[in-house]
Amino acid sequence: MNWNAPINSWWRSHVTLRTLYLLFLGQLVSFTLALMSFTSSLIADLGVDAPVTQSAFAYFSLALVYGGVLLYRRQRLRVAWYWYLLLGFVDVQGNFLVNKAYQFSSITSVTLLDCCTIAWAIVLTWLFLGTRYSLWQLLGAALCVLGLGLVLLSDAGGDGGGGSRPLLGDVLVIAGTIFFATSNVGEEFFVKKKDRVEVVCMIGVYGLLVSAVQLSILELKSLESVEWSTNIVSNLLLNNL
């Protein structure tokens, strides 16, 4: 019996150029997120406490690029503005809490616990979008959550590997992932039902608006006290890739 035949058949049917392209894009996104985590941690180490400012330029970039495309199309919004305002608010809070966590916990703990977003997204898509998952998918998610629980226990025991208050930082991350998951599920719903360019543009517009209001309330004094340098500015820009 030729055992290689079914393996070769599976390989030819699943490993295509499109699959490899999507895998490459996923790794590119992962690398970008890792770079953003590194710069967020470095900004915190430099003594800059500006979690909202760190993500404001990203919203500005989204609004500028996709807003230009939307204006060129001259189309009306397909989703009411208040839904985009809600999504923008939720997304900003997620970024705020996770970026704030770097002030208290290590980059390793923050990056690992940020993966809680996947577990929350599974729950929310199952409840509100009717997505159904296989037993293997649920077991894999449960295994990941178990590993994240061990990270939390490690930080609670004082062995988190850095940070002034690691447990507080972990709680902030987990709270941030709930906001991230809510935002991601909302974006998925509107992207599939409406228009991707409009959704991304409006997230940028309202995310920037919410960031500006929140920044003026919470971070103006902190920003005024910062001794700005090329190192700090470059890391802020890298953090908004």
Side-chain angles (χ1 to χ4, degrees), residues 37-167:
S37 296
F38 174 76
T39 54
S40 294
S41 179
L42 189 57
I43 290 170
D45 290 340
L46 291 172
V48 179
D49 184 12
V52 178
T53 306
Q54 288 177 228
S55 56
F57 185 73
Y59 293 117
F60 172 76
S61 302
L62 292 177
L64 183 65
V65 175
Y66 286 91
V69 176
L70 203 61
L71 288 174
Y72 176 77
R73 290 180 175 179
R74 297 180 182 273
Q75 69 180 40
R76 292 186 176 183
L77 294 181
R78 301 180 183 180
V79 179
W81 64 270
Y82 49 81
W83 288 114
Y84 287 132
L85 175 59
L86 180 61
L87 281 180
F89 175 81
V90 169
D91 200 73
V92 169
Q93 304 319 306
N95 278 308
F96 168 75
L97 290 170
V98 172
N99 287 333
K100 187 70 176 179
Y102 287 100
Q103 301 288 332
F104 306 103
S105 193
S106 66
I107 182 175
T108 304
S109 295
V110 173
T111 305
L112 288 174
L113 290 172
D114 192 30
C115 296
C116 283
T117 303
I118 300 172
W120 295 123
I122 289 176
V123 174
L124 292 175
T125 51
W126 180 71
L127 289 175
F128 298 105
L129 301 185
T131 306
R132 293 294 176 262
Y133 298 95
S134 68
L135 179 61
W136 289 110
Q137 289 174 315
L138 295 176
L139 286 175
L143 185 62
C144 292
V145 171
L146 179 62
L148 296 175
L150 294 177
V151 174
L152 193 62
L153 287 175
S154 174
D155 285 349
D159 300 321
S164 57
R165 302 174 67 184
L167 189 57

Side-chain angles (χ1 to χ4, degrees), residues 59 62-63 66-68 70 196-206:
Y59 293 117
L62 292 177
Y66 286 91
L70 203 61
R196 173 177 57 85
V197 172
E198 176 184 307
V199 173
V200 177
C201 170
M202 290 298 104
I203 292 294
V205 170
Y206 286 104

